[in-house]
Amino acid sequence: MIKELTCICCPMGCALTVEVEGDKVVKVEGNTCKRGADYAVSEITAPTRVVTTTVISVQGRPVPVKTAVPIPKDKIFEVTEKIKSAEVSLPVNVGDVIIEDLYGSPIVVCAKVG
Amino acid sequence: MREFDLVIVGGGPAGMAAAIAAREKGLENVVIFERDHSLGGILNQCIHNGFGLHTFKEELTGPEYAYRYAVKVDELGIPYETGTMVLDINDKREVTIISPGRGVETVKAGAVVLAMGCRERPRGALNIPGFRPKGVYTAGTAQKLVNIEGVVPGRSVVILGSGDIGLIMARRMTLEGAKVKAVVELMPYSSGLKRNIVQCLEDYDIPLMLSHTVVDIRGKDKLEGVYVAAVDSKNVPIEGTEEYFECDTLLLSCGLLPENELSRSCGVVIDPRTGGAVVNESLETSIEGVFACGNVLHVHDLVDFVSEESARAGAAAADFVKNGRRTGGEQIKLIPGNGVRYTVPGTVDVTNVEQEVHIRFRVTGVFRNSSIVMTCGGSEVFRRRSRILVPSEMQDVVIKKEKLEGLSGEMTVEIRGE
């Protein structure tokens, strides 16, 4: 199967054509450097993203939070929903953990609120 | 009258970095005036990650990046007054402020650092026909509503302009359950960073319509939808290409403007190309002892560059307070040549350069396999080849002092193809 990607390693934004067999990348074309090939492999085999969002605290003010490490890309909406339903009470500080483990990542507070 | 060695106007990333650098240079009597209720500026509402790769070698969210600087401000014991708005600065460096606690007050400053940041280009500046219904916001206003107030302004969204805030808000609104129907960009390229196109639009199958614009807004009291049309090479809408998008929210991400009302009122000369002050190598404006840095000087795409630049402004201001003005040597005037829109600084006095000088600029279009070339008096001072130069990425060229010694007159900065 052929997949088209845009490399995000630098402003070149190379248009990558990636040949995939099963879950393996067999060929990357269109990249100008090795980073493009590496990016294609990780994007195809196990794409991940850091998720940042807010959770409304018991007191009503939003608290910005993030996944401490990238989580699987196809779990973004699920992770966002789970974060939304967490109970958080002010005050909170940078680095506080509100959920211990969501798909391998703790959910941590990004700002001092309250 | 209260007197300060250094007054810093604005407690965002620029103001905090300037204050820290000035204190680290040994200046004790420093104050930051911030109109919001806490330090951090716009970073507080930029909850996405991607900040700090240069400064901290890790990806932080906006609030985390701001927090690191705010902690440093506290550790150094630098005083800051929040809820304090600067109303006026005059050419004698008297600064008039207003705050709920102290009322209107004029203070005397040995030096001033302007660090007010920038604001978004509003609808009124875009000439979009149609009524003025509710539901039209700048992207940054929507960002504040969602991330600070906890209110999501709409359910179906069209975004005009593909600046980074627009792209970030496309993802943010999607995660909050809204349907983002399209991001519409007048230019044939996006003005946002590539990584944001991929991670904010492509990840969520949000279409990016290049060379398109909003030609009409429907709805009298409440936004009902927008007409989008393709534009030709002169950015004129092409008849017959109109497409209607039903939506209750239109977000505008059409550029940022340095917020220089205060600078203008004290007579600082403004460069019409940047909308920011004309500055020399020390980031000093046309008024002695008044310095400028960060987005009020020229709009940056990376906060790391804001912090670095502002630290230089803070250090230069501290030096000015302690040692007075250094007598001017030969001036080099920087001239933006082919493919270069502006340069910051505009002039360089080599005697005031400690080790190196940063020259920052943006290119006028997309240049592939080209070189940044600087020439002065017929000789080449600098050359750097680049695979690609794009307007959305600010260029930062560092030139060692010895390269500039003995030069005077005009130095042209240009892009040459190969």
Side-chain angles (χ1 to χ4, degrees):
Chain A
M1 190 173 51
I2 301 291
K3 283 196 174 174
E4 308 281 344
L5 292 177
T6 308
C7 181
I8 60 168
C9 297
C10 87
M12 280 289 272
C14 294
L16 307 178
T17 307
V18 191
E19 201 178 318
V20 188
E21 271 174 26
D23 54 3
K24 279 218 168 69
V25 173
V26 291
K27 197 169 164 193
V28 180
E29 280 180 340
N31 57 311
T32 332
C33 70
K34 190 178 176 302
R35 287 190 299 164
D38 294 345
Y39 170 77
V41 171
S42 79
E43 264 306 273
I44 294 294
T45 53
T48 60
R49 297 287 185 265
V50 167
V51 173
T52 61
T53 185
T54 51
V55 50
I56 305 293
S57 62
V58 176
Q59 289 80 1
R61 283 179 67 189
V63 172
V65 295
K66 68 173 185 181
T67 60
V69 293
I71 53 113
K73 187 182 150 188
D74 59 357
K75 303 294 181 210
I76 291 176
F77 281 101
E78 204 176 312
V79 163
T80 309
E81 281 315 306
K82 291 227 163 83
I83 290 173
K84 287 271 166 234
S85 56
E87 193 177 303
V88 177
S89 190
L90 302 182
V92 290
N93 207 345
V94 179
D96 288 357
V97 175
I98 63 159
I99 300 174
E100 291 293 338
D101 184 3
L102 257 187
Y103 292 101
S105 175
I107 307 302
V108 296
V109 171
C110 302
K112 196 173 169 177
V113 185
Chain B
M1 193 189 284
R2 286 198 289 166
E3 290 192 14
F4 299 97
D5 284 339
L6 175 59
V7 164
I8 293 168
V9 186
M16 290 193 288
I20 291 165
R23 177 58 66 85
E24 285 175 343
K25 284 273 177 185
L27 204 62
E28 281 302 315
N29 188 11
V30 179
V31 69
I32 303 171
F33 293 135
E34 166 56 47
R35 66 182 169 192
D36 211 337
H37 58 75
S38 62
L39 294 176
I42 209 68
L43 287 173
N44 292 334
Q45 70 182 58
C46 299
I47 65 159
H48 53 282
N49 66 324
F51 301 89
L53 274 170
H54 293 259
T55 312
F56 299 112
K57 310 292 173 220
E58 57 180 307
E59 277 202 46
L60 303 173
T61 63
E64 290 172 309
Y65 188 97
Y67 181 75
R68 294 205 179 182
Y69 278 84
V71 165
K72 195 82 192 271
V73 167
D74 276 339
E75 279 173 3
L76 292 171
I78 299 169
Y80 57 91
E81 298 179 12
T82 56
T84 301
M85 176 94 178
V86 175
L87 298 174
D88 185 59
I89 304 166
N90 67 21
D91 56 7
K92 293 190 274 299
R93 299 193 294 272
E94 291 164 344
V95 180
T96 304
I97 56 177
I98 187 167
S99 63
R102 308 180 70 99
V104 178
E105 180 190 8
T106 298
V107 304
K108 179 85 184 111
V112 175
V113 171
L114 303 172
M116 294 89 80
C118 60
R119 61 163 173 254
E120 297 171 283
R121 185 169 279 128
R123 179 178 172 189
L126 297 172
N127 293 326
I128 308 167
F131 286 107
R132 297 286 179 268
K134 65 181 174 192
V136 183
Y137 305 87
T138 61
T141 301
Q143 187 179 47
K144 183 165 188 176
L145 286 171
V146 176
N147 294 343
I148 304 288
E149 309 294 338
V151 178
V152 182
R155 306 303 301 169
S156 56
V157 185
V158 170
I159 299 176
L160 174 60
S162 61
D164 286 309
I165 315 169
L167 301 177
I168 293 291
M169 282 313 292
R171 174 175 65 184
R172 189 74 191 100
M173 294 293 284
T174 304
L175 286 180
E176 289 295 328
K179 172 76 184 161
V180 179
K181 296 190 169 175
V183 174
V184 180
E185 169 61 55
L186 181 72
M187 303 307 286
Y189 51 84
S190 166
S191 52
L193 300 173
K194 201 101 215 172
R195 66 196 309 267
N196 285 338
I197 306 268
V198 173
Q199 297 196 7
C200 298
L201 299 189
E202 291 175 10
D203 275 4
Y204 301 93
D205 297 321
I206 299 168
L208 173 61
M209 302 172 74
L210 297 173
S211 297
H212 279 72
T213 192
V214 171
V215 290
D216 199 8
I217 289 177
R218 298 301 297 271
K220 192 163 187 299
D221 300 319
K222 200 168 170 294
L223 182 68
E224 290 166 10
V226 297
Y227 281 95
V228 173
V231 296
D232 63 21
S233 58
K234 293 192 179 73
N235 294 340
V236 177
I238 302 167
E239 223 178 299
T241 62
E242 295 87 356
E243 189 183 343
Y244 185 65
F245 289 88
E246 205 177 280
C247 59
D248 60 17
T249 306
L250 173 65
L251 300 186
L252 307 172
S253 177
C254 302
L256 300 167
L257 308 163
E259 195 164 341
N260 269 304
E261 284 69 20
L262 277 177
S263 327
R264 282 198 184 88
S265 75
C266 75
V268 163
V269 174
I270 301 291
D271 182 340
R273 293 165 301 197
T274 56
V278 174
V279 292
N280 64 20
E281 73 298 323
S282 308
L283 302 173
E284 188 181 23
T285 68
S286 58
I287 295 184
E288 188 171 80
V290 177
F291 299 77
C293 56
N295 280 351
V296 79
L297 179 57
H298 57 144
V299 175
H300 295 61
D301 33 78
L302 296 178
V303 70
D304 304 76
F305 280 12
V306 168
S307 300
E308 187 278 336
E309 177 178 287
S310 304
R312 283 188 280 120
D319 183 59
F320 173 83
V321 171
K322 293 167 86 170
N323 304 317
R325 190 182 191 78
R326 280 177 280 192
T327 48
E330 287 282 4
Q331 293 276 326
I332 302 169
K333 189 172 167 35
L334 289 162
I335 307 291
N338 177 56
V340 175
R341 209 165 77 212
Y342 69 85
T343 65
V344 168
T347 57
V348 175
D349 180 339
V350 185
T351 52
N352 287 337
V353 175
E354 269 183 35
Q355 284 159 3
E356 57 194 27
V357 66
H358 285 255
I359 295 169
R360 292 182 168 175
F361 61 90
R362 284 184 194 269
V363 293
T364 53
V366 177
F367 295 87
R368 287 175 199 278
N369 299 318
S370 301
S371 294
I372 299 167
V373 182
M374 298 191 191
T375 49
C376 186
S379 63
E380 193 172 297
V381 180
F382 177 87
R383 176 182 284 263
R384 182 170 77 202
R385 197 175 171 278
S386 270
R387 272 214 292 256
I388 190 163
L389 298 163
V390 293
S392 58
E393 303 228 343
M394 176 186 286
Q395 303 301 317
D396 179 39
V397 168
V398 184
I399 300 191
K400 296 260 179 262
K401 180 172 182 160
E402 54 262 31
K403 283 260 182 194
L404 297 170
E405 266 162 335
L407 298 179
S408 66
E410 294 187 344
M411 180 156 81
T412 304
V413 184
E414 62 184 340
I415 308 302
R416 287 191 198 160
E418 286 181 356

